[in-house]
Amino acid sequence: MRFDRSVIGQWMVGMALALLAWWLWRWQGRPWPTPTPLLQPRIVAGIAIALYAAFCGWIAWRGRTPRIVASADGSSPWRVIYASQTGFALELAERTAQALRDASAVATVHDINAIDLQALHDARCLFIASTTGEGDPPDHAMGFVKRVMAQPADLQRTRYAVLALGDSEYTQYCAFGRELDQWLHQHGAQPLFDRVDVDNADPAALRHWQHHVGVLSGHTDQPDWTTPRYDRWTLATRRLLNPGSVGGEAWHIELQSPAGASPAWQAGDIAEIGPRNAAAEVTAFLESNALNGSTVVHRDGESMLLSELLSRLRLPVALDAALIDVHTLQALPHREYSIASVPADGTLHLLVRLMQREDGTPGIGSGWLCRHAAIGDGIDMRIRSNPNFHAPPASQPMVLIGNGTGLAGLRAHLKARAATGAQCNWLLFGERNAAADRLHGDELDAWQRSGVLERLDLVFSRDGHLQRYVQDALHANADSLRAWIGQGAAIYVCGSLEGMAPGVDAALNEILGAPRMTELSETGRYRRDVY
């Protein structure tokens, strides 16, 4: 059991006041060292008792459920709220809050039973929710379920995300997390990203949550909480898709599976990449620290050359060669990309935007894939299933919405739909300039000619058109969208978490209405893969 030292100190002061009051009361009738009336034993004892009562009231006031207080930047702080049966959710809540604090954000951890509706209003909340038994909330969460979830609420100014913990061997897998997510959405709260379900502490799902938290905080360079285990793929093709673009470079990447392996994935799945440092950076580090790259070292149960190990680690800017211990260096964090192909293509395709750090150097993952790795080099990768973005039946119409490199996940779906002969597909896609940013434009045109795409709406924000963004195109085609939804269409959104995804969600709610959007979400007809 852990104790809060500040609380212990408060109660020690309180006990001292109580003992003082008792001792003074016992002095009644005994000689008193001063004749001053105000220092008579009864009066002093009464004052001590009053101070003790006031002190107890102050402690009770401090222990109430706190209000949300605006942070220095004008936004509400992060509230990380846990519902834990065995302590695992609490551990993850503390890790989540610490990740936010490491990015200079204000984040506090709360037992869900200490939360009321007032605490949720106009707040940014990250819920880590366990499920116990056959779909029940943790014991300590029952009060929240009865007090809060049983009453109507207006949470339209609340932004949230849910990490649902469970075990798929049980019928009601992640039931409480899903119920909590559904309740928040039904009452108007806006999801920061789609719920993450964790099956029996699956490391890949936890890394996915950590990745989203890093994106929210703007600090994606933190080390992974769990060590990924990758397969060794080969970089087969790399092609720049937008030469001359005013935006960042967008690269088409193809990876060949390991020899003898026949990996399978579905449209909507995710590629986890283990990036590496550029060979020149590793060589410079070895030379500057007088280290021999051919030295055999051991880490995480593996034996390898020192140069190989350093390629996987975050290299410090400066280091005292006499004190170096490579075993204390952090591993480079993984990166996630939507898969842009289907297994029938023969290779796994990615669509990667080259990111820039503040100092102008390439980002960790995009720099490795788009700059440093040479054709034929090995790429550490694993495929992560993403059931929340898997396709609907081929007979069901699809409305696909995205921007930028979000085209990757939509492209995989269109490839899968083309293979099954499903032709009731509508793509709304946004980028900067038509001249440079028609990513895979020839392919999209061919799909439109062949009937795979029944409708294709391309929107370019820098070309001065009235419809600048995909949400504008949605409003301009509101009647058509309602007709497609009336025919049973599912809506799939892929692209940027900030800007596009909230704008599209707001447009859909305005066009279709909040009740209809809730229905689409609950029935799996509204799905998102945003980052």
Side-chain angles (χ1 to χ4, degrees):
M1 181 179 294
R2 296 176 302 171
F3 296 93
D4 187 327
R5 285 177 294 180
S6 65
V7 172
I8 293 174
Q10 293 163 11
W11 284 109
M12 288 179 66
V13 172
M15 290 300 297
L17 286 172
L19 288 172
L20 175 62
W22 173 82
W23 182 75
L24 289 170
W25 197 262
R26 290 290 304 272
W27 264 89
Q28 294 181 81
R30 300 184 185 184
W32 191 247
T34 174
T36 305
L38 290 176
L39 292 181
Q40 292 304 312
R42 280 183 179 274
I43 296 175
V44 175
I47 293 172
I49 291 172
L51 287 173
Y52 177 64
F55 187 79
C56 290
W58 176 70
I59 290 178
W61 179 82
R62 287 188 82 241
R64 79 200 194 288
T65 301
R67 293 185 304 108
I68 297 215
V69 180
S71 58
D73 63 359
S75 60
S76 58
W78 292 101
R79 299 176 71 87
V80 185
I81 302 167
Y82 68 90
S84 184
Q85 188 69 19
T86 63
F88 186 47
L90 171 58
E91 177 186 341
L92 294 178
E94 291 172 338
R95 284 189 174 189
T96 298
Q98 189 58 51
L100 293 166
R101 295 180 194 124
D102 289 344
S104 302
V106 178
T108 52
V109 177
H110 303 269
D111 184 325
I112 195 171
N113 201 40
I115 296 296
D116 59 16
L117 280 178
Q118 182 62 35
L120 297 179
H121 288 163
D122 199 18
R124 297 185 296 175
C125 302
L126 300 178
F127 291 87
I128 294 93
S130 293
T131 296
T132 186
E134 288 298 336
D136 298 323
D139 295 341
H140 73 108
M142 292 304 298
F144 177 84
V145 173
K146 295 176 180 178
R147 287 183 295 100
V148 180
M149 295 179 66
Q151 60 179 307
D154 180 5
L155 302 178
Q156 295 186 47
R157 294 173 60 86
T158 302
R159 302 188 72 190
Y160 78 96
V162 175
L163 179 69
L165 307 178
D167 187 335
S168 59
E169 292 186 2
Y170 290 88
T171 304
Q172 301 298 323
Y173 169 55
C174 290
F176 179 57
R178 293 177 177 182
E179 179 185 356
L180 178 62
D181 181 37
Q182 182 180 6
W183 177 81
L184 289 161
H185 192 268
Q186 284 178 335
H187 290 82
Q190 300 299 309
L192 293 159
F193 50 84
D194 291 343
R195 186 188 67 247
V196 177
D197 293 344
V198 181
D199 183 7
N200 201 21
D202 174 34
L206 293 178
R207 287 195 300 275
H208 186 51
W209 171 263
Q210 184 188 3
H211 169 78
H212 276 311
V213 172
V215 170
L216 291 176
S217 67
H219 193 57
T220 59
D221 290 346
Q222 297 183 19
D224 292 330
W225 294 344
T226 58
T227 302
R229 297 296 178 186
Y230 298 115
D231 295 320
R232 193 74 163 161
W233 292 60
T234 302
L235 179 57
T237 301
R238 179 168 58 207
R239 183 174 79 255
L240 180 62
L241 295 178
N242 61 342
S245 173
V246 296
E249 299 175 3
W251 290 83
H252 174 82
I253 307 287
E254 294 189 20
L255 303 178
Q256 185 68 51
S257 61
S262 299
W265 66 88
Q266 297 184 46
D269 285 346
I270 301 294
E272 275 190 23
I273 299 291
R276 298 202 174 199
N277 295 307
E281 293 178 8
V282 174
T283 299
F285 182 84
L286 289 168
E287 292 176 351
S288 64
N289 290 281
L291 296 171
N292 183 357
S294 300
T295 303
V296 176
V297 293
H298 307 276
R299 177 168 165 138
D300 297 332
E302 293 184 70
S303 298
M304 66 191 78
L305 298 181
L306 176 59
S307 58
E308 168 74 8
L309 175 60
L310 288 176
S311 71
R312 306 180 184 184
L313 303 179
R314 192 191 303 274
L315 300 179
V317 176
L319 193 66
D320 185 341
L323 302 176
I324 186 171
D325 181 1
V326 296
H327 298 85
T328 65
L329 299 180
Q330 296 177 346
L332 292 173
H334 81 286
R335 289 294 183 261
E336 296 186 350
Y337 301 96
S338 300
I339 298 175
S341 60
V342 292
D345 290 320
T347 54
L348 186 143
H349 301 180
L350 304 175
L351 183 52
V352 180
R353 180 84 66 185
L354 180 63
M355 306 302 293
Q356 303 286 338
R357 297 190 181 105
E358 291 183 1
D359 61 2
T361 58
I364 292 176
S366 63
W368 171 237
L369 291 172
C370 302
R371 283 284 191 272
H372 306 319
I375 301 301
D377 277 356
I379 303 293
D380 293 332
M381 196 194 79
R382 70 184 296 274
I383 296 170
R384 181 175 62 77
S385 178
N386 185 21
N388 285 336
F389 206 63
H390 284 171
S395 59
Q396 188 172 0
M398 283 188 76
V399 178
L400 303 108
I401 306 169
N403 73 325
T405 54
L407 180 63
L410 306 180
R411 179 177 185 254
H413 278 297
L414 288 170
K415 282 177 168 286
R417 301 277 285 183
T420 61
Q423 296 189 329
C424 197
N425 305 303
W426 178 8
L427 173 65
L428 300 100
F429 175 71
E431 250 291 355
R432 289 176 175 82
N433 299 108
D437 298 308
R438 291 188 87 251
L439 308 181
H440 291 297
D442 292 343
E443 192 172 52
L444 298 180
D445 292 340
W447 277 333
Q448 188 175 28
R449 288 192 300 269
S450 67
V452 172
L453 276 172
E454 183 176 322
R455 289 197 56 167
L456 174 61
D457 287 89
L458 301 179
V459 183
F460 298 97
S461 59
R462 303 293 179 86
D463 285 353
H465 297 154
L466 188 61
Q467 297 177 30
R468 297 186 62 196
Y469 304 106
V470 286
Q471 52 264 45
D472 298 323
L474 286 169
H475 279 297
N477 296 280
D479 290 340
S480 296
L481 178 63
R482 294 187 192 97
W484 278 63
I485 297 303
Q487 295 166 10
I491 302 174
Y492 279 56
V493 180
C494 191
S496 58
L497 176 64
E498 295 296 332
M500 187 279 295
V504 166
D505 189 73
L508 292 172
N509 274 275
E510 292 169 8
I511 295 167
L512 300 175
R516 191 63 183 276
M517 286 299 296
T518 298
E519 175 196 342
L520 294 177
S521 180
E522 292 175 356
T523 57
R525 291 173 58 193
Y526 177 43
R527 298 174 181 260
R528 306 192 308 169
D529 177 16
V530 294
Y531 47 86

